[in-house]
Amino acid sequence: MTGAGRLIRLILRRDRVLMPLWVVLLGLIPAGYVTSFESLFPTAADRLEYATVSGSNAGFVGLYGLIDGSSLGEIVAWRSGFLPIMVALFAALTIIRHTRADEESGRTELVAAGAVGRHAQLAAALITTGVASLALGAILTAAMLGQGLPAEGSVLFGLELALSGCAFAAVGAIAAQLTASARSARTIAVVALGAAYALRVAGDVSALGDGAVSWLSWLSPIGWATHIFPWGTNNWWPVLLSALFTVLAAGLSAVLLTRRDFGGGLLPARLGPATSHMGTPLALAWRLHRGLLIGWTIGFALLGLIFGGVGGSVVSLIEDNQNLGDIFARLGGASSLVDNYFAGTAGIVGLIASCYAVQAALRLRDEEQSGHAEPILATAVSRYAWAGSHLLFSLLGPAVALLAEGVVAGLTYTEGDLGAIVTSTLVQLPAVWVLAAVAVLLFGLLPRLSAAAWGAPALCLLILLVGQTLQLDQWLLDISPFTHIPHLPGGTVAATPLIMLLAVAAVLTTLGLTALRHRNIPD
Amino acid sequence: MTDAIDVTGLVKRFGQVAALDGLDLHVRTGEVHGFLGPNGAGKTTTIRVLLGLMRHDGGSARLLGDDPWASATELHKRLAYVPGDVTLWPNLTGGEVIDLLGRLRGGLDPKRRAELLERFELDPRKKGRTYSKGNRQKVALVAALASDVELLILDEPTSGLDPLMEEVFSEVILEEKRRGDRTVLLSSHILAEVEKLCDRLTIIRDGRTVETGTLTDLRHLTRTTIQADLAGPPDGLASLAGVHDFQIDNGRVRFDVDTDALSPALQTLVKVGVTSLVSQPPSLEELFLRQYSRPES
Ligand SMILES: Nc1ncnc2c1ncn2[C@@H]1O[C@H](COP(=O)(O)OP(=O)(O)OP(=O)(O)O)[C@@H](O)[C@H]1O
Ligand SMILES: [Mg+2]
């Protein structure tokens, strides 16, 4: 552990922009909800109606979790149900960045050769991320107290997010010990988070119905977090469960660290083929992207299973509940409610697909920085052919994933129109491609700022999550290409916005590739 | 025949800093040309300009008679490149990378590939992430040497190789040289290697060429160290052109002398009368050290 102090300072220096950003931003989002819910639902009766409608909608329960009561704090905490996932994601990625990614790039070796203990790197990363998560929780608690909400609930709400971060920091730490590559470690951590989310969705949606498998939520750290119910039942023991899990998982990662070689992983390395038939840049791109494509497609199919499965409960809920049926009838009838539900999920799925598109496009920058591009471009492969073969996966990969989601959702939701549901997901593609094109443009024109391309889906997510609740101006909403995608099924389709989006994507991509042709490699 | 590489007054700037500042490099077809210079001198940058990976800001560069930037793709069919820092895809095997790079270049000779794998003692079935630095270097070397190309551009190809493998590398390059139709540009920090393999060499520093020529030409630039006990005062020896670092202590003199000035210096000594004499032969090592550390003139 010697030297951990110095390493912590190093981590803080390297993350001095990113870490405060997510800590403060995620910590303050619920405060915005308090204000807007106060003005949207001024009376207890308004809040009760909102809580009853939302809390019995399986789609919303899937997204945000179960709703306990209808006090202001409770609906704010419920509507913030996606935040534990985002905090968990940031925490896990931060840990991997400062452990396995450093070790893979050889940076750790420089440090490890100095006077630092074997566990110093892991400890420094865990401590920093843990403290950042707790700081996020403290900011959240302070903001809630500042809004005049009761103390116990505010503290528990802060702990809900803080412990989601801590728990997945520890999960990230375990993932970092398993494989020798940071990329695989990230995949393991994200899959673990996705599984935790899926378990929570399955358990909570089941609790809405007959409750047969509602215990599934209790297998998931994300489920524990959303079952704290701040300001409602004020459950303390999921907090203890999360804390215990964090300690055990962090301990396990430390044990795993001592069981492996420096630079190695626990999963064994195997021998591969001695020859290959690859002979084109496209064949290489297929090799490099195939795991990503398969992983995302499976993930999207699972998402389709969840969203399609939940679609059934949306309808049965309305049929079972006379009051609810009346409310929805007033809102425009059951079929349009189902339509709205699938239109909403299609937007979310489209946004997730754009993360895949950006990730695949930024693979170009990875290839350049790691030195893989140089020997390829020193052969008879042109820059266009090299970039184009990666780009193909950035554009078509999300199409395949979206198709998988739509088909599975349409088949799972048997009462629906398969064609309409598939169309609703595929119609997201022009917006997805615009975000991919932003990544290509940055890569060509400002390669050192390529990673800023992640800001595009993040901004769209922010607009999607808070745009409506905070009643933002239309021009702000219009920044997101997803605002211009027709709401299908049910909505009307205008060709112009779609064509405009495609044109924007084409122009940005062309600019990016042209800039790439004229710049230094590596830059 | 035109030169394989013809670089004159090359300038390459990174922002305000000029990494190359009027560099000259002429490599004749069929020769092995050593490319030397201290760290950060601009060897890798020159090579990247020659490969069309970077665009130069001034001067001219021709590669195999063509413009390396505009005709990059065409030219790359005729050359093979080994980067200074070889990184492999973590989950592709060495054999897969060799085949891939070979095919992208336009094909490689399977018999030669097998022979090189054996001589370099490389297991092609291992995944990229499990190779050591030296073995990664060997993957790139086998891929380059198994291709039938006119020009090999090797950026510090032996960094990371053990002495045994360095020997294998030298043998292979000498065989290439005997074929006579392959040109090799070899950037290196290892003098013994350069002395053994290269016909001619170019030394650069701070982005400029400071010396170029055959080894014999360069030996000519080296200095002999002479130490002698004299019978009388060494009249005019200290001021003789080509005599450097002259010291005298109690009738014993010690000085360095350029090869050109050796005869006049010895004649002066003989005139005074010599009771003992030690001479140290010129070494390239010393020449390089002098070139590497010479302050900006
Ligand atoms: N992409 C870049 N951006 C800015 N500066 C660069 C870049 N690439 C190289 N340089 C600078 O150009 C100079 C020459 O670097 P280069 O890598 O060509 O040296 P070198 O002779 O290959 O050194 P070495 O023997 O260490 O490999 C250095 O000062 C380096 O810092
Ligand atoms: Mg170099």
Side-chain angles (χ1 to χ4, degrees), chain A residues 272-274 276 278 287 367 370 372 374 377 379-380 383 520-521, chain B residues 12 48 52-53 73 76 81 87 89 93 95-96 99 103 113 125:
Chain A
S276 148
M278 276 189 291
R287 261 307 281 279
E367 288 286 292
S370 57
H372 296 154
E374 207 174 318
L377 292 174
T379 66
R383 292 186 183 190
N520 292 335
I521 291 180
Chain B
K12 172 71 200 172
R48 284 181 174 150
L53 293 171
T73 317
H76 292 170
Y81 165 55
T87 60
W89 294 273
T93 64
E96 287 178 304
D99 286 349
R103 284 218 187 79
R113 176 189 187 272
R125 294 170 307 160

PDB file of all heavy atoms in Angstrom, chain A residues 272-274 276 278 287 367 370 372 374 377 379-380 383 520-521, chain B residues 12 48 52-53 73 76 81 87 89 93 95-96 99 103 113 125:
ATOM      1  N   GLY A 272      -3.408 -19.419 -30.771  1.00  0.00           N
ATOM      2  CA  GLY A 272      -4.365 -19.227 -31.852  1.00  0.00           C
ATOM      3  C   GLY A 272      -3.803 -19.774 -33.151  1.00  0.00           C
ATOM      4  O   GLY A 272      -2.778 -20.461 -33.159  1.00  0.00           O
ATOM      5  N   PRO A 273      -4.457 -19.459 -34.268  1.00  0.00           N
ATOM      6  CA  PRO A 273      -3.988 -19.969 -35.568  1.00  0.00           C
ATOM      7  C   PRO A 273      -2.647 -19.346 -35.974  1.00  0.00           C
ATOM      8  O   PRO A 273      -2.358 -18.207 -35.635  1.00  0.00           O
ATOM      9  CB  PRO A 273      -5.091 -19.528 -36.536  1.00  0.00           C
ATOM     10  CG  PRO A 273      -5.770 -18.386 -35.856  1.00  0.00           C
ATOM     11  CD  PRO A 273      -5.660 -18.640 -34.392  1.00  0.00           C
ATOM     12  N   ALA A 274      -1.834 -20.144 -36.687  1.00  0.00           N
ATOM     13  CA  ALA A 274      -0.514 -19.680 -37.093  1.00  0.00           C
ATOM     14  C   ALA A 274      -0.576 -18.921 -38.418  1.00  0.00           C
ATOM     15  O   ALA A 274       0.384 -18.248 -38.790  1.00  0.00           O
ATOM     16  CB  ALA A 274       0.441 -20.861 -37.228  1.00  0.00           C
ATOM     17  N   SER A 276      -3.400 -16.921 -41.510  1.00  0.00           N
ATOM     18  CA  SER A 276      -4.684 -16.247 -41.623  1.00  0.00           C
ATOM     19  C   SER A 276      -4.974 -15.953 -43.076  1.00  0.00           C
ATOM     20  O   SER A 276      -4.073 -15.853 -43.898  1.00  0.00           O
ATOM     21  CB  SER A 276      -4.626 -14.955 -40.817  1.00  0.00           C
ATOM     22  OG  SER A 276      -5.422 -13.976 -41.418  1.00  0.00           O
ATOM     23  N   MET A 278      -6.918 -13.309 -43.762  1.00  0.00           N
ATOM     24  CA  MET A 278      -7.253 -11.886 -43.842  1.00  0.00           C
ATOM     25  C   MET A 278      -6.334 -11.206 -44.848  1.00  0.00           C
ATOM     26  O   MET A 278      -5.127 -11.392 -44.805  1.00  0.00           O
ATOM     27  CB  MET A 278      -7.020 -11.222 -42.481  1.00  0.00           C
ATOM     28  CG  MET A 278      -8.159 -11.372 -41.524  1.00  0.00           C
ATOM     29  SD  MET A 278      -7.863 -10.353 -40.090  1.00  0.00           S
ATOM     30  CE  MET A 278      -6.513 -11.200 -39.336  1.00  0.00           C
ATOM     31  N   ARG A 287     -12.634  -8.467 -37.931  1.00  0.00           N
ATOM     32  CA  ARG A 287     -12.019  -9.127 -36.766  1.00  0.00           C
ATOM     33  C   ARG A 287     -12.069  -8.227 -35.538  1.00  0.00           C
ATOM     34  O   ARG A 287     -12.330  -8.655 -34.430  1.00  0.00           O
ATOM     35  CB  ARG A 287     -10.554  -9.463 -37.056  1.00  0.00           C
ATOM     36  CG  ARG A 287     -10.290 -10.878 -37.473  1.00  0.00           C
ATOM     37  CD  ARG A 287     -10.850 -11.899 -36.538  1.00  0.00           C
ATOM     38  NE  ARG A 287     -10.047 -12.090 -35.355  1.00  0.00           N
ATOM     39  CZ  ARG A 287      -8.968 -12.844 -35.307  1.00  0.00           C
ATOM     40  NH1 ARG A 287      -8.577 -13.497 -36.376  1.00  0.00           N
ATOM     41  NH2 ARG A 287      -8.290 -12.974 -34.182  1.00  0.00           N
ATOM     42  N   GLU A 367      -7.010   2.863 -32.704  1.00  0.00           N
ATOM     43  CA  GLU A 367      -6.060   2.220 -33.608  1.00  0.00           C
ATOM     44  C   GLU A 367      -4.895   3.146 -33.917  1.00  0.00           C
ATOM     45  O   GLU A 367      -3.756   2.714 -34.028  1.00  0.00           O
ATOM     46  CB  GLU A 367      -6.765   1.827 -34.916  1.00  0.00           C
ATOM     47  CG  GLU A 367      -7.722   0.675 -34.778  1.00  0.00           C
ATOM     48  CD  GLU A 367      -7.000  -0.648 -34.617  1.00  0.00           C
ATOM     49  OE1 GLU A 367      -6.360  -1.104 -35.567  1.00  0.00           O
ATOM     50  OE2 GLU A 367      -7.064  -1.199 -33.507  1.00  0.00           O
ATOM     51  N   SER A 370      -2.723   3.613 -30.527  1.00  0.00           N
ATOM     52  CA  SER A 370      -1.997   2.442 -30.065  1.00  0.00           C
ATOM     53  C   SER A 370      -0.881   2.066 -31.032  1.00  0.00           C
ATOM     54  O   SER A 370      -0.115   1.163 -30.765  1.00  0.00           O
ATOM     55  CB  SER A 370      -2.961   1.273 -29.908  1.00  0.00           C
ATOM     56  OG  SER A 370      -3.600   1.051 -31.135  1.00  0.00           O
ATOM     57  N   HIS A 372      -1.382   0.887 -34.057  1.00  0.00           N
ATOM     58  CA  HIS A 372      -1.807  -0.161 -34.989  1.00  0.00           C
ATOM     59  C   HIS A 372      -2.041   0.369 -36.392  1.00  0.00           C
ATOM     60  O   HIS A 372      -1.913  -0.356 -37.366  1.00  0.00           O
ATOM     61  CB  HIS A 372      -3.112  -0.812 -34.497  1.00  0.00           C
ATOM     62  CG  HIS A 372      -2.960  -1.523 -33.194  1.00  0.00           C
ATOM     63  ND1 HIS A 372      -3.999  -1.719 -32.330  1.00  0.00           N
ATOM     64  CD2 HIS A 372      -1.878  -2.061 -32.611  1.00  0.00           C
ATOM     65  CE1 HIS A 372      -3.567  -2.370 -31.257  1.00  0.00           C
ATOM     66  NE2 HIS A 372      -2.271  -2.574 -31.400  1.00  0.00           N
ATOM     67  N   GLU A 374      -0.395   2.723 -38.036  1.00  0.00           N
ATOM     68  CA  GLU A 374       0.799   3.066 -38.812  1.00  0.00           C
ATOM     69  C   GLU A 374       1.254   1.936 -39.750  1.00  0.00           C
ATOM     70  O   GLU A 374       1.415   2.180 -40.951  1.00  0.00           O
ATOM     71  CB  GLU A 374       1.909   3.474 -37.844  1.00  0.00           C
ATOM     72  CG  GLU A 374       2.899   4.429 -38.462  1.00  0.00           C
ATOM     73  CD  GLU A 374       3.909   4.922 -37.429  1.00  0.00           C
ATOM     74  OE1 GLU A 374       3.508   5.225 -36.289  1.00  0.00           O
ATOM     75  OE2 GLU A 374       5.095   4.985 -37.779  1.00  0.00           O
ATOM     76  N   LEU A 377      -1.261   1.578 -42.620  1.00  0.00           N
ATOM     77  CA  LEU A 377      -1.233   2.665 -43.607  1.00  0.00           C
ATOM     78  C   LEU A 377       0.094   2.718 -44.354  1.00  0.00           C
ATOM     79  O   LEU A 377       0.213   3.436 -45.340  1.00  0.00           O
ATOM     80  CB  LEU A 377      -1.523   4.002 -42.912  1.00  0.00           C
ATOM     81  CG  LEU A 377      -2.963   4.114 -42.396  1.00  0.00           C
ATOM     82  CD1 LEU A 377      -3.153   5.378 -41.595  1.00  0.00           C
ATOM     83  CD2 LEU A 377      -3.946   4.051 -43.551  1.00  0.00           C
ATOM     84  N   THR A 379       1.144   0.072 -45.738  1.00  0.00           N
ATOM     85  CA  THR A 379       0.958  -0.885 -46.827  1.00  0.00           C
ATOM     86  C   THR A 379       0.099  -0.203 -47.894  1.00  0.00           C
ATOM     87  O   THR A 379      -0.220   0.974 -47.771  1.00  0.00           O
ATOM     88  CB  THR A 379       0.241  -2.159 -46.349  1.00  0.00           C
ATOM     89  OG1 THR A 379      -1.089  -1.810 -45.967  1.00  0.00           O
ATOM     90  CG2 THR A 379       0.949  -2.786 -45.165  1.00  0.00           C
ATOM     91  N   ALA A 380      -0.311  -0.985 -48.882  1.00  0.00           N
ATOM     92  CA  ALA A 380      -1.030  -0.381 -50.011  1.00  0.00           C
ATOM     93  C   ALA A 380      -2.490  -0.068 -49.665  1.00  0.00           C
ATOM     94  O   ALA A 380      -3.348  -0.082 -50.539  1.00  0.00           O
ATOM     95  CB  ALA A 380      -0.960  -1.308 -51.217  1.00  0.00           C
ATOM     96  N   ARG A 383      -5.939   5.753 -46.793  1.00  0.00           N
ATOM     97  CA  ARG A 383      -6.575   6.190 -45.551  1.00  0.00           C
ATOM     98  C   ARG A 383      -8.084   6.037 -45.618  1.00  0.00           C
ATOM     99  O   ARG A 383      -8.724   5.691 -44.635  1.00  0.00           O
ATOM    100  CB  ARG A 383      -6.220   7.651 -45.280  1.00  0.00           C
ATOM    101  CG  ARG A 383      -4.755   7.825 -44.952  1.00  0.00           C
ATOM    102  CD  ARG A 383      -4.441   9.241 -44.547  1.00  0.00           C
ATOM    103  NE  ARG A 383      -3.009   9.382 -44.320  1.00  0.00           N
ATOM    104  CZ  ARG A 383      -2.454  10.460 -43.771  1.00  0.00           C
ATOM    105  NH1 ARG A 383      -3.206  11.489 -43.422  1.00  0.00           N
ATOM    106  NH2 ARG A 383      -1.152  10.511 -43.590  1.00  0.00           N
ATOM    107  N   ASN A 520      -1.517  14.649 -40.191  1.00  0.00           N
ATOM    108  CA  ASN A 520      -0.453  13.734 -39.781  1.00  0.00           C
ATOM    109  C   ASN A 520      -1.050  12.505 -39.125  1.00  0.00           C
ATOM    110  O   ASN A 520      -2.025  12.592 -38.406  1.00  0.00           O
ATOM    111  CB  ASN A 520       0.454  14.402 -38.742  1.00  0.00           C
ATOM    112  CG  ASN A 520       1.260  15.541 -39.327  1.00  0.00           C
ATOM    113  OD1 ASN A 520       1.516  15.587 -40.519  1.00  0.00           O
ATOM    114  ND2 ASN A 520       1.658  16.456 -38.464  1.00  0.00           N
ATOM    115  N   ILE A 521      -0.401  11.370 -39.366  1.00  0.00           N
ATOM    116  CA  ILE A 521      -0.762  10.156 -38.634  1.00  0.00           C
ATOM    117  C   ILE A 521       0.533   9.550 -38.115  1.00  0.00           C
ATOM    118  O   ILE A 521       1.416   9.265 -38.920  1.00  0.00           O
ATOM    119  CB  ILE A 521      -1.494   9.152 -39.525  1.00  0.00           C
ATOM    120  CG1 ILE A 521      -2.884   9.692 -39.880  1.00  0.00           C
ATOM    121  CG2 ILE A 521      -1.639   7.820 -38.807  1.00  0.00           C
ATOM    122  CD1 ILE A 521      -3.689   8.764 -40.762  1.00  0.00           C
TER     123      ILE A 521
ATOM    124  N   LYS B  12       9.986  19.911 -41.394  1.00  0.00           N
ATOM    125  CA  LYS B  12       8.709  19.458 -40.836  1.00  0.00           C
ATOM    126  C   LYS B  12       8.521  20.126 -39.479  1.00  0.00           C
ATOM    127  O   LYS B  12       9.362  20.000 -38.602  1.00  0.00           O
ATOM    128  CB  LYS B  12       8.717  17.938 -40.663  1.00  0.00           C
ATOM    129  CG  LYS B  12       7.524  17.387 -39.913  1.00  0.00           C
ATOM    130  CD  LYS B  12       6.263  17.453 -40.718  1.00  0.00           C
ATOM    131  CE  LYS B  12       5.024  17.365 -39.842  1.00  0.00           C
ATOM    132  NZ  LYS B  12       3.795  17.621 -40.590  1.00  0.00           N
ATOM    133  N   ARG B  48       8.432   8.879 -41.341  1.00  0.00           N
ATOM    134  CA  ARG B  48       6.984   9.061 -41.496  1.00  0.00           C
ATOM    135  C   ARG B  48       6.658   9.957 -42.685  1.00  0.00           C
ATOM    136  O   ARG B  48       5.647   9.751 -43.357  1.00  0.00           O
ATOM    137  CB  ARG B  48       6.380   9.626 -40.213  1.00  0.00           C
ATOM    138  CG  ARG B  48       6.270   8.561 -39.151  1.00  0.00           C
ATOM    139  CD  ARG B  48       5.662   9.084 -37.884  1.00  0.00           C
ATOM    140  NE  ARG B  48       5.443   7.983 -36.953  1.00  0.00           N
ATOM    141  CZ  ARG B  48       5.472   8.116 -35.635  1.00  0.00           C
ATOM    142  NH1 ARG B  48       5.703   9.299 -35.092  1.00  0.00           N
ATOM    143  NH2 ARG B  48       5.270   7.074 -34.874  1.00  0.00           N
ATOM    144  N   GLY B  52       4.567   8.913 -46.289  1.00  0.00           N
ATOM    145  CA  GLY B  52       3.330   9.627 -46.595  1.00  0.00           C
ATOM    146  C   GLY B  52       2.381   9.675 -45.409  1.00  0.00           C
ATOM    147  O   GLY B  52       1.195   9.957 -45.572  1.00  0.00           O
ATOM    148  N   LEU B  53       2.884   9.379 -44.207  1.00  0.00           N
ATOM    149  CA  LEU B  53       2.026   9.470 -43.019  1.00  0.00           C
ATOM    150  C   LEU B  53       1.975  10.912 -42.533  1.00  0.00           C
ATOM    151  O   LEU B  53       1.023  11.328 -41.913  1.00  0.00           O
ATOM    152  CB  LEU B  53       2.563   8.564 -41.906  1.00  0.00           C
ATOM    153  CG  LEU B  53       2.492   7.066 -42.191  1.00  0.00           C
ATOM    154  CD1 LEU B  53       3.252   6.293 -41.132  1.00  0.00           C
ATOM    155  CD2 LEU B  53       1.046   6.604 -42.238  1.00  0.00           C
ATOM    156  N   THR B  73      -0.205   5.256 -51.619  1.00  0.00           N
ATOM    157  CA  THR B  73      -0.741   3.900 -51.738  1.00  0.00           C
ATOM    158  C   THR B  73       0.011   3.085 -52.788  1.00  0.00           C
ATOM    159  O   THR B  73       0.346   1.922 -52.561  1.00  0.00           O
ATOM    160  CB  THR B  73      -2.233   3.975 -52.101  1.00  0.00           C
ATOM    161  OG1 THR B  73      -2.826   5.002 -51.306  1.00  0.00           O
ATOM    162  CG2 THR B  73      -2.922   2.688 -51.820  1.00  0.00           C
ATOM    163  N   HIS B  76       3.541   2.158 -51.571  1.00  0.00           N
ATOM    164  CA  HIS B  76       3.609   1.195 -50.470  1.00  0.00           C
ATOM    165  C   HIS B  76       3.589  -0.256 -50.935  1.00  0.00           C
ATOM    166  O   HIS B  76       3.937  -1.155 -50.182  1.00  0.00           O
ATOM    167  CB  HIS B  76       2.458   1.448 -49.494  1.00  0.00           C
ATOM    168  CG  HIS B  76       2.606   2.747 -48.756  1.00  0.00           C
ATOM    169  ND1 HIS B  76       1.620   3.288 -47.985  1.00  0.00           N
ATOM    170  CD2 HIS B  76       3.655   3.608 -48.681  1.00  0.00           C
ATOM    171  CE1 HIS B  76       2.041   4.439 -47.474  1.00  0.00           C
ATOM    172  NE2 HIS B  76       3.267   4.657 -47.890  1.00  0.00           N
ATOM    173  N   TYR B  81       7.832  -1.821 -44.181  1.00  0.00           N
ATOM    174  CA  TYR B  81       8.222  -0.920 -43.100  1.00  0.00           C
ATOM    175  C   TYR B  81       8.139  -1.641 -41.762  1.00  0.00           C
ATOM    176  O   TYR B  81       7.186  -2.368 -41.491  1.00  0.00           O
ATOM    177  CB  TYR B  81       7.269   0.285 -43.125  1.00  0.00           C
ATOM    178  CG  TYR B  81       7.261   1.163 -41.900  1.00  0.00           C
ATOM    179  CD1 TYR B  81       8.435   1.742 -41.407  1.00  0.00           C
ATOM    180  CD2 TYR B  81       6.061   1.441 -41.243  1.00  0.00           C
ATOM    181  CE1 TYR B  81       8.398   2.573 -40.290  1.00  0.00           C
ATOM    182  CE2 TYR B  81       6.027   2.272 -40.131  1.00  0.00           C
ATOM    183  CZ  TYR B  81       7.195   2.832 -39.662  1.00  0.00           C
ATOM    184  OH  TYR B  81       7.164   3.642 -38.558  1.00  0.00           O
ATOM    185  N   THR B  87       3.483  -2.406 -32.000  1.00  0.00           N
ATOM    186  CA  THR B  87       2.388  -2.836 -31.129  1.00  0.00           C
ATOM    187  C   THR B  87       1.499  -3.745 -31.955  1.00  0.00           C
ATOM    188  O   THR B  87       1.258  -3.490 -33.129  1.00  0.00           O
ATOM    189  CB  THR B  87       1.548  -1.659 -30.615  1.00  0.00           C
ATOM    190  OG1 THR B  87       0.993  -0.971 -31.732  1.00  0.00           O
ATOM    191  CG2 THR B  87       2.390  -0.683 -29.822  1.00  0.00           C
ATOM    192  N   TRP B  89      -2.160  -6.164 -32.261  1.00  0.00           N
ATOM    193  CA  TRP B  89      -3.529  -6.286 -31.750  1.00  0.00           C
ATOM    194  C   TRP B  89      -3.530  -7.389 -30.707  1.00  0.00           C
ATOM    195  O   TRP B  89      -3.061  -8.493 -30.979  1.00  0.00           O
ATOM    196  CB  TRP B  89      -4.494  -6.607 -32.877  1.00  0.00           C
ATOM    197  CG  TRP B  89      -4.620  -5.497 -33.848  1.00  0.00           C
ATOM    198  CD1 TRP B  89      -5.482  -4.442 -33.768  1.00  0.00           C
ATOM    199  CD2 TRP B  89      -3.847  -5.288 -35.038  1.00  0.00           C
ATOM    200  NE1 TRP B  89      -5.292  -3.597 -34.834  1.00  0.00           N
ATOM    201  CE2 TRP B  89      -4.297  -4.089 -35.625  1.00  0.00           C
ATOM    202  CE3 TRP B  89      -2.819  -5.994 -35.653  1.00  0.00           C
ATOM    203  CZ2 TRP B  89      -3.758  -3.581 -36.807  1.00  0.00           C
ATOM    204  CZ3 TRP B  89      -2.279  -5.493 -36.819  1.00  0.00           C
ATOM    205  CH2 TRP B  89      -2.751  -4.309 -37.386  1.00  0.00           C
ATOM    206  N   THR B  93      -3.025 -13.353 -33.532  1.00  0.00           N
ATOM    207  CA  THR B  93      -1.751 -14.040 -33.333  1.00  0.00           C
ATOM    208  C   THR B  93      -0.678 -13.413 -34.221  1.00  0.00           C
ATOM    209  O   THR B  93      -0.985 -12.710 -35.192  1.00  0.00           O
ATOM    210  CB  THR B  93      -1.853 -15.532 -33.690  1.00  0.00           C
ATOM    211  OG1 THR B  93      -2.145 -15.638 -35.086  1.00  0.00           O
ATOM    212  CG2 THR B  93      -2.934 -16.224 -32.879  1.00  0.00           C
ATOM    213  N   GLY B  95       1.234 -14.908 -36.337  1.00  0.00           N
ATOM    214  CA  GLY B  95       1.101 -15.443 -37.693  1.00  0.00           C
ATOM    215  C   GLY B  95       0.031 -14.705 -38.478  1.00  0.00           C
ATOM    216  O   GLY B  95       0.203 -14.395 -39.660  1.00  0.00           O
ATOM    217  N   GLU B  96      -1.069 -14.393 -37.812  1.00  0.00           N
ATOM    218  CA  GLU B  96      -2.142 -13.672 -38.500  1.00  0.00           C
ATOM    219  C   GLU B  96      -1.685 -12.282 -38.918  1.00  0.00           C
ATOM    220  O   GLU B  96      -1.997 -11.815 -40.016  1.00  0.00           O
ATOM    221  CB  GLU B  96      -3.371 -13.554 -37.580  1.00  0.00           C
ATOM    222  CG  GLU B  96      -4.115 -14.864 -37.407  1.00  0.00           C
ATOM    223  CD  GLU B  96      -5.305 -14.738 -36.465  1.00  0.00           C
ATOM    224  OE1 GLU B  96      -5.113 -14.300 -35.311  1.00  0.00           O
ATOM    225  OE2 GLU B  96      -6.414 -15.073 -36.881  1.00  0.00           O
ATOM    226  N   ASP B  99       0.668 -12.531 -41.975  1.00  0.00           N
ATOM    227  CA  ASP B  99      -0.074 -12.769 -43.215  1.00  0.00           C
ATOM    228  C   ASP B  99      -0.860 -11.543 -43.652  1.00  0.00           C
ATOM    229  O   ASP B  99      -0.890 -11.190 -44.830  1.00  0.00           O
ATOM    230  CB  ASP B  99      -1.024 -13.959 -43.046  1.00  0.00           C
ATOM    231  CG  ASP B  99      -0.255 -15.268 -43.037  1.00  0.00           C
ATOM    232  OD1 ASP B  99       0.947 -15.223 -43.365  1.00  0.00           O
ATOM    233  OD2 ASP B  99      -0.840 -16.313 -42.715  1.00  0.00           O
ATOM    234  N   ARG B 103      -0.250  -9.558 -47.117  1.00  0.00           N
ATOM    235  CA  ARG B 103      -1.283  -9.476 -48.158  1.00  0.00           C
ATOM    236  C   ARG B 103      -1.639  -8.029 -48.477  1.00  0.00           C
ATOM    237  O   ARG B 103      -1.860  -7.685 -49.631  1.00  0.00           O
ATOM    238  CB  ARG B 103      -2.531 -10.207 -47.711  1.00  0.00           C
ATOM    239  CG  ARG B 103      -2.371 -11.682 -47.812  1.00  0.00           C
ATOM    240  CD  ARG B 103      -3.627 -12.384 -48.266  1.00  0.00           C
ATOM    241  NE  ARG B 103      -3.388 -13.811 -48.155  1.00  0.00           N
ATOM    242  CZ  ARG B 103      -3.455 -14.456 -47.004  1.00  0.00           C
ATOM    243  NH1 ARG B 103      -3.809 -13.823 -45.899  1.00  0.00           N
ATOM    244  NH2 ARG B 103      -3.176 -15.737 -46.953  1.00  0.00           N
ATOM    245  N   ARG B 113       8.642 -17.003 -45.476  1.00  0.00           N
ATOM    246  CA  ARG B 113       7.996 -16.762 -44.190  1.00  0.00           C
ATOM    247  C   ARG B 113       8.353 -17.879 -43.210  1.00  0.00           C
ATOM    248  O   ARG B 113       8.768 -17.620 -42.075  1.00  0.00           O
ATOM    249  CB  ARG B 113       6.480 -16.716 -44.409  1.00  0.00           C
ATOM    250  CG  ARG B 113       5.640 -16.558 -43.166  1.00  0.00           C
ATOM    251  CD  ARG B 113       4.170 -16.757 -43.565  1.00  0.00           C
ATOM    252  NE  ARG B 113       3.235 -16.463 -42.494  1.00  0.00           N
ATOM    253  CZ  ARG B 113       2.840 -17.347 -41.601  1.00  0.00           C
ATOM    254  NH1 ARG B 113       3.340 -18.572 -41.602  1.00  0.00           N
ATOM    255  NH2 ARG B 113       1.964 -16.997 -40.670  1.00  0.00           N
ATOM    256  N   ARG B 125       1.795 -18.735 -33.221  1.00  0.00           N
ATOM    257  CA  ARG B 125       0.444 -19.026 -32.710  1.00  0.00           C
ATOM    258  C   ARG B 125       0.093 -18.218 -31.476  1.00  0.00           C
ATOM    259  O   ARG B 125      -1.013 -18.292 -30.970  1.00  0.00           O
ATOM    260  CB  ARG B 125       0.339 -20.515 -32.383  1.00  0.00           C
ATOM    261  CG  ARG B 125       0.429 -21.417 -33.606  1.00  0.00           C
ATOM    262  CD  ARG B 125       0.569 -22.854 -33.163  1.00  0.00           C
ATOM    263  NE  ARG B 125       1.696 -22.984 -32.223  1.00  0.00           N
ATOM    264  CZ  ARG B 125       1.841 -23.999 -31.383  1.00  0.00           C
ATOM    265  NH1 ARG B 125       0.934 -24.953 -31.350  1.00  0.00           N
ATOM    266  NH2 ARG B 125       2.883 -24.071 -30.569  1.00  0.00           N
TER     267      ARG B 125
END
